[in-house]
Amino acid sequence: MLPTLGHLAALDELLRDTARKHIMPRFRNLALADIRSKTSPTDLVTEADEAAERMIAIGLTAIFPGCVVVGEEAASADPRLLENLDDAPLAVVVDPIDGTLNYASGAPLFCTMAAVIVRGETVAAVIHDPISGSSHLALAGEGAWCEEADGRKFSLRVAAPKPVAQMSGMVSWRYFPEPLRSTIPSRYPAVADVASMKCCGHEYRLATSGALDFLIYGRLMPWDHAPGLLIHREAGGYSAQIDGMPYGPSTRQIGVIAAPDRTSWEHLHAAFF
């Protein structure tokens, strides 16, 4: 089953409804007991993450009957769920709150994301910003666009290519293995500016609207990157793993670069790696 524009609209509305009911009412209203650490003090889960993921999982069964749902929190509890992405006829990966550390800290930089995967290929995606009420969406082969809270729509397009020294981007270096973890920051002077929002969703939103030139990530969990990389591709961008191979939702162990085009990707690869 390949998703249609109707399915994508229903998925977007599900994420919007979940944000209204579970994410925004808890924003800046969490008690200490509502926030827990998972693998480290900066890897958090909140009551809002779990409530949102439950609502999204239930809603997905109505939009995509029989689909495999792989949510970040469910997969954190049972990593075997990730194995379902390789061969499932239809799967949906969900990040109920991307940027949980920001959310738990009261910073308005978090998103709700989902990607539809058919036999290992990402075919539809939504990144919703609960603060602005806008969503970035893509359907494979149909382009990428933004839908604002008031219903306005406009097409998304990545930035035009430019020399590496003039590029600005986001780099998440701390999940790379050594020696890359130590050497990547030393390469920052090769570009105009480097930052991190601690929220892949917002970083992809900026890159797919042309406000950033590139993104570099070391850890490739599917709920973090399957939505954004499809939207980036449909907005005219080029991405590949650090070894040059195409990204796939089952990829875990190697980083990715997203750039305006293949030549830009090659120049960024040379500059950083």
Side-chain angles (χ1 to χ4, degrees), residues 89-194:
L90 181 64
V92 184
V93 294
V94 176
D95 194 340
I97 301 180
D98 177 60
T100 299
L101 180 62
N102 293 339
Y103 179 83
S105 302
L109 290 170
F110 52 88
C111 293
T112 299
M113 308 196 294
V116 182
I117 298 167
V118 174
R119 298 196 184 280
E121 180 181 354
T122 309
V123 295
V126 179
I127 299 177
H128 177 64
D129 173 18
I131 296 293
S132 69
S134 71
S135 296
H136 282 203
L137 307 95
L139 193 65
E142 300 290 338
W145 62 96
C146 175
E147 295 192 11
E148 299 285 5
D150 61 7
R152 288 178 297 123
K153 299 181 182 180
F154 57 88
S155 297
L156 295 172
R157 194 70 187 172
V158 299
K162 63 186 66 164
V164 167
Q166 298 176 16
M167 290 187 185
S168 296
M170 300 282 174
V171 178
S172 178
W173 54 270
R174 65 192 183 98
Y175 293 111
F176 279 98
E178 293 289 4
L180 290 175
R181 188 177 190 276
S182 296
T183 60
I184 288 173
S186 71
R187 309 293 176 86
Y188 288 177
V191 298
D193 188 40
V194 171

Side-chain angles (χ1 to χ4, degrees), residues 191-243:
V191 298
D193 188 40
V194 171
S196 172
M197 301 177 78
K198 295 183 173 63
C199 176
C200 295
H202 270 294
E203 293 169 358
Y204 277 114
R205 282 170 61 92
L206 288 174
T208 56
S209 59
L212 286 177
D213 299 299
F214 69 91
L215 304 170
I216 298 176
Y217 296 104
R219 184 173 68 174
L220 300 182
M221 302 311 293
W223 43 79
D224 287 329
H225 301 290
L229 286 172
L230 176 67
I231 297 171
H232 187 267
R233 186 186 79 197
E234 291 295 319
Y238 177 84
S239 64
Q241 297 170 185
I242 301 306
D243 62 0

